[in-house]
Amino acid sequence: MAKKVNETTQKPSSTKHAFSDLEENAGFLMWQVSMLWQRKLKNGLDAIGITHAQFLLLAALSFLSTKQNIVSQQDLAKHVKIDKMMTSKILRTLQKKGLLSRKKNKMDTRARTLALSESGEELLKSASKIVDKTDQDFLMNLGLNSLSFQDDLRSLLKVNSK
């Protein structure tokens, strides 16, 4: 007597899945490169006691402070493109570390006005050197193409941020 085969468990060998060759998938490659780059950044930034997200918010606060008099948490979250609640949580940590101040906005009591402290500015200088070196080392193998790569990243960001 022949065994009955369950058709739902057998797959034809010729069926090609969307991710049958994962190493050729651009999204998977971006994920791998991003994870490797973030690990390298983490290793460098651990030495000075901040995370990459903390660095990004400090750097963005410094940048935005040169462009506008008052920088709010919402301005910062929008510029860095991370969730407002995540921004608030990270900023509270940075405030506890004495790296920035968060004050109620006189115009809108629900909003917080941000400013880097002197120690925040000093830490940002050290962190920037670490991040710049990590980025340079990481992208070095692209040679002159690293500028093209940055342009490609900007294009992706612009097109997909709409």
Side-chain angles (χ1 to χ4, degrees):
M1 190 159 149
K3 256 187 176 177
K4 188 173 181 184
V5 177
N6 184 345
E7 291 176 25
T8 60
T9 60
Q10 278 193 339
K11 296 176 184 164
S13 60
S14 63
T15 301
K16 185 125 173 133
H17 301 286
F19 295 104
S20 62
D21 196 358
L22 200 53
E23 281 70 29
E24 297 302 317
N25 178 274
F28 182 66
L29 292 170
M30 283 192 295
W31 171 260
Q32 288 182 309
V33 168
S34 176
M35 292 286 85
L36 182 58
W37 171 71
Q38 287 181 52
R39 256 192 311 277
K40 289 179 183 281
L41 283 172
K42 181 187 180 319
N43 290 340
L45 292 172
D46 278 352
I48 59 172
I50 65 170
T51 66
H52 189 223
Q54 290 170 345
F55 165 75
L56 289 174
L57 289 176
L58 289 172
L61 176 56
S62 177
F63 172 78
L64 290 176
S65 295
T66 66
K67 304 288 181 198
Q68 57 197 59
N69 291 333
I70 297 173
V71 180
S72 70
Q73 287 183 190
Q74 186 171 342
D75 295 334
L76 203 53
K78 185 177 178 182
H79 183 75
V80 179
K81 295 185 180 1
I82 61 172
D83 179 80
K84 287 186 277 188
M85 292 304 291
M86 171 80 105
T87 301
S88 180
K89 182 179 176 184
I90 294 168
L91 291 175
R92 279 194 300 275
T93 300
L94 293 171
Q95 182 181 19
K96 286 177 189 172
K97 290 181 175 190
L99 301 174
L100 58 81
S101 65
R102 295 168 65 223
K103 297 177 182 167
K104 285 191 177 181
N105 186 322
K106 293 174 184 165
M107 306 291 233
D108 180 356
T109 56
R110 296 169 298 161
R112 301 274 182 210
T113 301
L114 307 169
L116 280 177
S117 67
E118 194 173 305
S119 59
E121 289 177 12
E122 289 301 314
L123 185 81
L124 182 56
K125 287 178 188 174
S126 299
S128 292
K129 289 176 185 174
I130 292 167
V131 170
D132 287 346
K133 173 99 172 80
T134 302
D135 287 351
Q136 186 179 25
D137 291 349
F138 194 81
L139 297 172
M140 178 176 37
N141 290 326
L142 291 178
L144 295 176
N145 291 332
S146 67
L147 295 176
S148 173
F149 178 67
Q150 290 172 352
D151 287 342
D152 290 344
L153 291 174
R154 273 190 216 73
S155 294
L156 285 171
L157 186 61
K158 184 177 179 180
V159 169
N160 289 293
S161 292
K162 296 178 182 177

